[in-house]
Amino acid sequence: MTITLPRQLRPGPGGCTASLAGSKGAVMELPFVNHVGVRVEQQGGGRSRCTLLVEAHHFNSAGIVHGGALFTLADTAMGAALYPTLAPGEGCATIEIKIGYFKPVVAGALVCTGEIVNRSRTVASLEACIHAGEVLVAKASGTFAVFQRKSEPAT
């Protein structure tokens, strides 16, 4: 399944093009993730690796990377770990995430690994770790719903 984005949301030349690769070649575009600058670099086998290069728009008023940018990175990594495990016709959505912030981030590249901890037919538990170099800066755990997508109306 491919979601076609309105023209104004499509990335331009040289822009980020984050998407999730699913089972049987399904691809889901991620416009908000593109906006933030997160890149999905690896996914499969219940694991993922996403990156974020810190830029000026990621900072809060205190001069450190906004927690929402780190939260988006963790949520995306967990979703990227889960998405390829979905059967054709299935979807997933975040139910809840808990995140702990350990160290402030002021520059550089962030790497986030996501991993499925447990998966049933309708619920998955995942974890994500965000590193700046060798330093663990945040860790998240999340619960995701797994559901059968409703048929889309014919057009």
Side-chain angles (χ1 to χ4, degrees), residues 73-75 77-78 112-115 126-130 136 138-142:
L73 180 58
D75 184 38
M78 288 187 281
C112 183
T113 55
E115 181 175 13
L126 296 102
E127 290 184 342
C129 294
I130 303 174
L136 178 66
K139 186 169 183 173
S141 60

Side-chain angles (χ1 to χ4, degrees), residues 66-118:
H66 192 284
L70 299 178
F71 186 96
T72 298
L73 180 58
D75 184 38
T76 303
M78 288 187 281
L82 178 59
Y83 192 72
T85 71
L86 301 178
E90 282 186 327
C92 64
T94 308
I95 295 173
E96 61 85 28
I97 293 177
K98 177 184 184 299
I99 189 166
Y101 302 101
F102 306 132
K103 301 281 185 183
V105 177
V106 296
L110 299 172
V111 175
C112 183
T113 55
E115 181 175 13
I116 296 173
V117 175
N118 187 53

Side-chain angles (χ1 to χ4, degrees), residues 16 31-38 52-53 55 57-58 68-69 72-73:
C16 289
F32 179 73
V33 173
N34 284 330
H35 176 72
V36 174
V38 173
L52 176 67
L53 181 59
E55 297 183 48
H57 63 274
H58 294 124
T72 298
L73 180 58

Side-chain angles (χ1 to χ4, degrees), residues 23-37:
S23 63
K24 310 260 191 249
V27 175
M28 181 171 53
E29 300 297 328
L30 305 169
F32 179 73
V33 173
N34 284 330
H35 176 72
V36 174

